[in-house]
Amino acid sequence: MTEWVGRTAAEIAAAVRAKEVTPREVVAEHLARIERLDGRIGAFRTMRAEAALAEADAVGSRADLAELPLAGVPLAVKDNLAVRGESHRDGSAATHDTPAAEDHVTVARLRAAGAVVVGLTNVPELCVFGTTEGVFGTSRNPWDLSRTAGGSSGGSAAAVAAGLVPLALGNDGMGSLRIPAANCGLVTLKPGHGVVPAGIGNGDWFGMSENGPLATTVEDLRLMLDVLADGALPLTREPGSLRVAVSLRSPLPGVVVHRSFTNAVREAAGVLARGGHQVRRADPPYPPSLGVTAIRHWTAGTAVDAEGLDPARLTRRTRVHAALGRRFVASVRGGDGRERLRARMTPFFTAHDVLLTPALARRSPAAGPWHERGWLRNIVANTYTPFTPPWNLTGWPAMSVPCGALPSGAPCAVQLVGRPGSEDVLLGLAEELERRRPWRRTATVAGF
C-alpha cells in the first residue's frame, strides 16, 4: 500500500485527481499519525476527525475533482481563523467557544480548492508571543522536543514539520509565520499587504498581519499561495542576475546573532553568488527608533484584540501587554511611523532587489509554561526574533527558507525580503536555494 503521509501536497493532489487514491484514504492516514504523535508535539488545539472524513468523501465525489489544485490535501488551520462549525479560541480562556457560522475567506478558498481541514492548531494567547503555549497546550519543535516550535503560528508549523499534515495556514503580524517556520525547518512567505485577504482579529494589528502558508517545499508553498491569492499572485520575477544585499546586523541594537545563523546566511549567499547573482554586504538603514516603533504597534494591536474580553481570564503577560498598548492605540492609529519607515527603506530597495538576513538571532527558547511567567521575562525571551518585525511595519513580502543546521541538528534558516510586489522574485530565489541546498522535509526525531 502506498504511504501518503510524508508526501508533498502537490504529489497528493495529483494522485487524488488521477484517482490513484481517494481523499478519505489520504485523510485517514494523516489522522492516524496525528492520533499517534500529537500527544508529544502539541500541534492541535482541536481535531475534527469525523468531519474531516466526511469532507474528504465530499471532495472525492465532486464533479470538478480533476481540476482541484489541492484535491484531498489534509490542512491544518491556525486557531485565530474561522472554520465553519468550529470555535476559534485564539489561545485564550477569555474567548468564546461558539462555533463559527462561516469560514474565513482564506479557509473557504482552500476548501474550494479541495483541501480538507483536519483540525485547528495551538497558538499563544491572542497570538502575541514568539512561543506557543497556553491553556490549550504547548507546541514543541518536532526536531527538538525540548524547544518551543515558535509563535504565534507554532502549532501550524509543528504539524507540518512532524508530517501530521503537508500544509498549514497561519498568519504573521510580527514574524508569526517566519519564526516558527525557521525553528521547524519549513518554508513560508509573509505576502505583501493586499496580496492575500487578511481579516485577522480586530483590524489586522493596524494592517501589519497577513495570512500565509507553511510548507515543506517551495512548490507546495507556491501552490497554496496561489489559492490563497485567488490566482492573483504578482508574477514579477526579474530575469537573470539579481542584486542581493547581505546583512548580518540585528535591527535591534544589542541583540547578538548566533554563529549558526550567520553561517547560514553566508552559505545561502555563496549559493546565490555561484548562481550568477550580484551578492554584496549592505545593511539596511534601520532607524534607532525601530524597537520603540515595533513595541508600540505590537502592544497596541494586542490592546485592540483584547477589547471586550474579561481581563480576569487573560494571562498576566497578556494583560500587561494590552495595558501598555492601550496608551499607544490612538497614536499608532493616527501616526505615520510606518510610512516614515517605508520612506527610509525605499532607497535601499531601489539599489538592491532582495535583502538576505538571518531568520532568527538564536535558537528558540525551551518549551515550557511561558504563559505563567512574567511579561518582562517573555519580552526578553522574544528577543531571539529581531529580524522579522521590520517587514510587518513596512508591509513588504518576506520569506523564511531553511538553510544549514544548529549544533543540535535542528534546522537553521535565512530570511529573504523584497520590495512590494516581489513575491515571485523571492520564491524564485528560494527555489534556487532548495535546488542547490535541499533541506530535510520532515523531522526525524525518534518515534517519527
Side-chain angles (χ1 to χ4, degrees):
M1 183 180 75
T2 303
E3 289 256 346
W4 295 101
V5 166
R7 304 286 285 273
T8 69
E11 290 171 335
I12 290 170
V16 169
R17 288 193 297 268
K19 298 191 175 180
E20 296 170 7
V21 63
T22 67
R24 171 176 274 266
E25 290 170 326
V26 172
V27 169
E29 277 193 30
H30 286 82
L31 289 173
R33 185 172 177 86
I34 294 167
E35 175 69 23
R36 189 167 69 252
L37 299 178
D38 197 44
R40 297 176 62 196
I41 300 164
F44 286 93
R45 194 269 294 178
T46 188
M47 291 299 302
R48 27 190 338 272
E50 290 186 16
L53 290 171
E55 289 175 19
D57 289 339
V59 170
S61 65
R62 282 176 57 169
D64 61 348
L65 178 66
E67 302 167 9
L68 299 179
L70 295 176
V73 174
L75 173 74
V77 174
K78 187 175 180 178
D79 194 25
N80 67 341
L81 296 171
V83 173
R84 185 181 63 253
E86 305 291 338
S87 61
H88 58 104
R89 300 301 306 272
D90 215 358
S92 180
T95 55
H96 302 291
D97 61 359
T98 306
E102 300 291 340
D103 286 332
H104 186 276
V105 61
T106 54
V107 177
R109 287 181 179 182
L110 293 165
R111 279 177 151 168
V116 177
V117 178
V118 299
L120 284 82
T121 58
N122 273 319
V123 300
E125 187 170 55
L126 305 190
C127 297
V128 174
F129 295 102
T131 58
T132 293
E133 63 290 302
V135 294
F136 299 115
T138 297
S139 294
R140 298 174 180 271
N141 186 342
W143 296 91
D144 181 353
L145 293 174
S146 71
R147 318 303 295 188
T148 177
S152 62
S153 305
S156 286
V160 177
L164 307 184
V165 287
L167 292 175
L169 177 61
N171 34 59
D172 190 316
M174 278 283 178
S176 290
L177 283 166
R178 289 162 289 157
I179 294 165
N183 286 326
C184 295
L186 304 178
V187 61
T188 191
L189 187 148
K190 178 196 76 69
H193 186 65
V195 173
V196 171
I200 306 156
N202 297 320
D204 307 323
W205 277 12
F206 306 98
M208 296 191 303
S209 293
E210 305 292 346
N211 290 308
L214 289 151
T216 63
T217 69
V218 181
E219 180 185 26
D220 278 4
L221 189 74
R222 277 189 181 276
L223 181 63
M224 184 170 168
L225 192 60
D226 188 60
V227 171
L228 290 172
D230 199 23
L233 185 67
L235 298 177
T236 57
R237 193 180 315 180
E238 300 174 22
S241 176
L242 294 170
R243 300 166 298 169
V244 179
V246 178
S247 177
L248 302 176
R249 175 191 165 199
S250 168
L252 300 181
V255 176
V256 176
V257 183
H258 190 275
R259 182 172 60 186
S260 296
F261 287 94
T262 60
N263 287 344
V265 171
R266 293 187 179 102
E267 181 179 345
V271 170
L272 296 179
R274 289 189 292 274
H277 299 288
Q278 303 170 45
V279 179
R280 70 180 186 90
R281 288 290 297 270
D283 292 326
Y286 300 120
S289 60
L290 179 61
V292 173
T293 302
I295 201 162
R296 285 165 59 95
H297 283 75
W298 182 24
T299 57
T302 302
V304 172
D305 281 349
E307 290 175 0
L309 298 179
D310 180 358
R313 306 199 72 189
L314 295 173
T315 61
R316 182 158 54 102
R317 65 175 181 178
T318 305
R319 287 199 303 272
V320 173
H321 207 74
L324 179 61
R326 281 195 290 274
R327 307 176 187 183
F328 305 131
V329 170
S331 60
V332 165
R333 187 169 279 144
D336 63 351
R338 296 181 65 198
E339 289 74 13
R340 285 188 281 110
L341 180 62
R342 282 191 284 263
R344 186 181 178 102
M345 291 296 182
T346 294
F348 182 86
F349 282 91
T350 300
H352 307 93
D353 299 308
V354 172
L355 171 64
L356 169 65
T357 77
L360 304 172
R362 59 184 184 272
R363 69 176 180 169
S364 63
W370 287 98
H371 62 297
E372 298 175 358
R373 297 167 183 165
W375 177 80
L376 186 57
R377 192 173 175 188
N378 273 273
I379 293 299
V380 171
N382 275 247
T383 60
Y384 83 105
T385 69
F387 291 96
T388 56
W391 316 114
N392 296 93
L393 290 166
T394 62
W396 296 348
M399 292 190 70
S400 179
V401 183
C403 186
L406 302 175
S408 66
C412 200
V414 298
Q415 179 177 236
L416 298 172
V417 184
R419 63 176 73 97
S422 66
E423 285 83 0
D424 198 46
V425 175
L426 301 182
L427 289 164
L429 286 182
E431 285 168 339
E432 291 187 42
L433 291 171
E434 182 181 32
R435 184 170 62 252
R436 296 189 169 97
R437 287 288 188 278
W439 50 80
R440 293 160 63 194
R441 292 181 44 246
T442 305
T444 54
V445 176
F448 291 178

